Amino acid sequence: MVPFAGYAMPIQYEGIIAEHLWTRESAGLFDVSHMGQVLLPLTADAALETLLPGDIKGLGEGVLRYSLLLDAKGGILDDLMVTRRAGDLYLVVNGAVKAADIAHMRAAGLSVDERTDWALLALQGPKAVDALERLVPGVSALRFMRAAGFDWQGHKLWVSRSGYTGEDGFEISVPNAAAEALARALLAQPEVRPIGLGARDSLRLEAGLPLYGHDLDPGTTPVTAGLAFAISKRRKTELGFPGADIIMAQLLNGPPVKRVGLAVEGKLPAREGAEVFVGSTKVGTVTSGGFAPSLNVPIAMAYVDAARAADGTPLEIEVRGKRLAATVVPMPFKPKNYVRAANSEISA
Amino acid sequence: MTTYYTQDHEWLSVDGATATVGITDYAQGQLGDVVFVELPAPGAKLTKGGDAAVVESVKAASDVYAPVSGTVTEGNAALEADPALVNTAAETDGWFFKLTLADAGELSGLMDRTAYDAFIETL
């Protein structure tokens, strides 16, 4: 167990590689209750749009949208999920910055209801649907980035078909009082094992998904981070989001740096903070890196000069004075296995 | 042959002037799945308490310090092909390197198995 964002969190149960592979082939249960769950009134959609570049006014009921809280320079303050529900907007934000996010939203005049009385469980993997459907009939009808309310043993659940592993799966908001019982009921299913923070990190890295505080921070923008899909079409013409001038200029002229995936030769992992070179010239920095259990090779994400960001570009990463050969490769490193709606517009 | 242990969770098995060095089973359990071990080159001169090797697990890189001073004679080539030997056989086939002791007197400050077992009970 380690301290994280004020919570005691497990790094691993049986081992990161075993947990990672189990999630890819069956189903893994993650306690992600450290993440912030907040509600805004439906009437706050226009005000929320002044803080992020997503189309919230046009968001359909029961649909999730991945978005980014931005500062005045277009820097990323957090990445988050926004869902329009019948009576409110439901947001899930990162645990490490949830207090700052809430303060930021309140400073913009939003009425924010933080639901510390709810826990959040993620059930991820190709067999997650089998296990959850057995306990909560009807969830299998949800498609990727869709959500709805369900009942379990008299408790109200809010279930989204979403996650951060690159696999099919669900995120389940459950009242604290029922959270342990639901977790134990899920773990009693033959498909399900508990998964710690270590495998959560290796799974999202393979899926090419950036982690706030590592791959995203106020020094990055939606464009440099490769998350321009989060700038909704309507917002690109209407603008009115923080840093719109800088972000639109980056979209038009290209950003100075880009987040890229790197395949690393050999077996030695390159970690966060390792510098990226072409010859003697530093061209970037690794922001996440490690060993990819499903691919059995080291992989990394880095921000590199835009001129060095094309797929196939050969680079070198310095690790303890040694140069490792690396190549820019498309992400995800491991193809995603989402169960999409027929007309899905979602690219997250 | 006598085996000694350190508070940094290394073991060394001493046969005459030669010691075989590795990390303990307790240490591998704390590190988790090992994916790479960076070993000192033969001929490298190690100083007690100085950097000797680096163990890369899935989650992090961890330094391994030299439990005694000496000159490296051999690294465990088997770890290159199968770094997971550190997890499955930490105190046997998963050894890291062999060295020639510079000062056998340094051994007197190390623990035996009983003392080491008592030490990890306190952690």
Side-chain angles (χ1 to χ4, degrees), chain A residues 33 37 115-121 150-158 172-183:
Chain A
S33 302
Q37 301 181 71
R115 298 305 300 254
T116 55
D117 55 329
W118 294 344
L120 193 63
L121 302 176
F150 293 87
D151 284 312
W152 178 71
Q153 297 193 349
H155 302 286
K156 289 211 179 307
L157 308 181
W158 181 256
I172 308 158
S173 177
V174 50
N176 287 345
E180 184 179 340
L182 178 59

Side-chain angles (χ1 to χ4, degrees), chain B residues 9-35:
Chain B
H9 307 288
E10 291 117 2
W11 57 265
L12 65 164
S13 185
V14 178
D15 188 3
T18 300
T20 305
V21 178
I23 66 169
T24 65
D25 193 58
Y26 173 86
Q28 70 77 21
Q30 294 293 305
L31 292 171
D33 299 311
V34 172
V35 297

Side-chain angles (χ1 to χ4, degrees), chain A residues 90-169:
Chain A
Y90 168 69
L91 279 56
V92 177
V93 303
N94 276 301
V97 288
K98 63 186 176 187
D101 288 356
I102 290 167
H104 181 68
M105 289 189 275
R106 284 183 177 148
L110 290 166
S111 161
V112 181
D113 179 15
E114 183 187 7
R115 298 305 300 254
T116 55
D117 55 329
W118 294 344
L120 193 63
L121 302 176
L123 187 68
Q124 299 280 296
K127 295 181 184 171
V129 62
D130 303 329
L132 190 59
E133 177 71 23
R134 211 174 289 133
L135 297 183
V136 187
V139 294
S140 62
L142 290 172
R143 288 296 173 261
F144 182 59
M145 297 293 268
R146 300 293 189 272
F150 293 87
D151 284 312
W152 178 71
Q153 297 193 349
H155 302 286
K156 289 211 179 307
L157 308 181
W158 181 256
V159 181
S160 307
R161 196 149 193 177
S162 58
Y164 222 60
T165 59
E167 295 298 328
D168 182 27

Side-chain angles (χ1 to χ4, degrees), chain A:
Chain A
M1 301 292 283
V2 294
F4 181 83
Y7 294 76
M9 308 233 356
I11 289 274
Q12 63 176 32
Y13 294 90
E14 60 179 310
I16 294 173
I17 292 178
E19 292 166 32
H20 177 114
L21 297 176
W22 183 261
T23 303
R24 290 253 184 266
E25 73 182 40
S26 188
L29 181 68
F30 306 73
D31 181 0
V32 290
S33 302
H34 61 293
M35 300 187 80
Q37 301 181 71
V38 307
L39 297 178
L40 306 178
L42 281 177
T43 52
D45 56 359
L48 184 58
E49 284 194 357
T50 67
L51 303 181
L52 48 75
D55 181 358
I56 307 302
K57 289 194 277 191
L59 190 59
E61 187 177 321
V63 181
L64 285 74
R65 180 148 291 152
Y66 176 79
S67 196
L68 301 161
L69 288 177
L70 301 176
D71 68 19
K73 291 181 174 171
I76 299 173
L77 298 172
D78 197 7
D79 61 340
L80 74 166
M81 286 287 187
V82 183
T83 310
R84 177 180 291 273
R85 310 200 302 178
D88 50 37
L89 297 172
Y90 168 69
L91 279 56
V92 177
V93 303
N94 276 301
V97 288
K98 63 186 176 187
D101 288 356
I102 290 167
H104 181 68
M105 289 189 275
R106 284 183 177 148
L110 290 166
S111 161
V112 181
D113 179 15
E114 183 187 7
R115 298 305 300 254
T116 55
D117 55 329
W118 294 344
L120 193 63
L121 302 176
L123 187 68
Q124 299 280 296
K127 295 181 184 171
V129 62
D130 303 329
L132 190 59
E133 177 71 23
R134 211 174 289 133
L135 297 183
V136 187
V139 294
S140 62
L142 290 172
R143 288 296 173 261
F144 182 59
M145 297 293 268
R146 300 293 189 272
F150 293 87
D151 284 312
W152 178 71
Q153 297 193 349
H155 302 286
K156 289 211 179 307
L157 308 181
W158 181 256
V159 181
S160 307
R161 196 149 193 177
S162 58
Y164 222 60
T165 59
E167 295 298 328
D168 182 27
F170 299 86
E171 290 172 300
I172 308 158
S173 177
V174 50
N176 287 345
E180 184 179 340
L182 178 59
R184 289 192 186 283
L186 286 166
L187 290 171
Q189 305 305 309
E191 299 91 348
V192 182
R193 290 183 188 170
I195 311 295
L197 275 186
R200 183 168 168 80
D201 191 52
S202 57
L203 287 159
R204 69 91 198 165
L205 179 59
E206 278 185 352
L209 297 168
L211 180 62
Y212 196 80
H214 301 267
D215 312 299
L216 305 177
D217 64 32
T220 67
T221 74
V223 188
T224 64
L227 302 174
F229 67 84
I231 309 167
S232 299
K233 196 174 162 192
R234 176 174 64 80
R235 305 300 307 280
K236 283 185 194 169
T237 51
E238 293 183 7
L239 304 177
F241 54 86
D245 50 341
I246 293 169
I247 288 169
M248 295 310 290
Q250 286 185 348
L251 277 177
L252 190 65
N253 306 321
V257 297
K258 288 184 180 173
R259 181 172 64 95
V260 297
L262 296 175
V264 184
E265 271 181 36
K267 287 282 181 188
L268 176 58
R271 311 263 180 198
E272 179 176 1
E275 297 186 328
V276 182
F277 289 87
V278 171
S280 59
T281 307
K282 185 189 165 189
V283 298
T285 305
V286 171
T287 52
S288 282
F291 181 79
S294 296
L295 307 169
N296 211 27
V297 293
I299 56 173
M301 284 182 202
Y303 280 81
V304 300
D305 294 347
R308 308 291 184 180
D311 290 341
T313 305
L315 300 170
E316 289 184 321
I317 308 175
E318 193 164 292
V319 177
R320 295 190 292 274
K322 268 189 271 204
R323 292 288 184 93
L324 309 181
T327 307
V328 178
V329 294
M331 292 188 284
F333 299 96
K334 177 88 173 58
K336 292 173 184 164
N337 295 312
Y338 297 149
V339 178
R340 292 178 188 276
N343 310 318
S344 180
E345 57 183 296
I346 307 298
S347 52

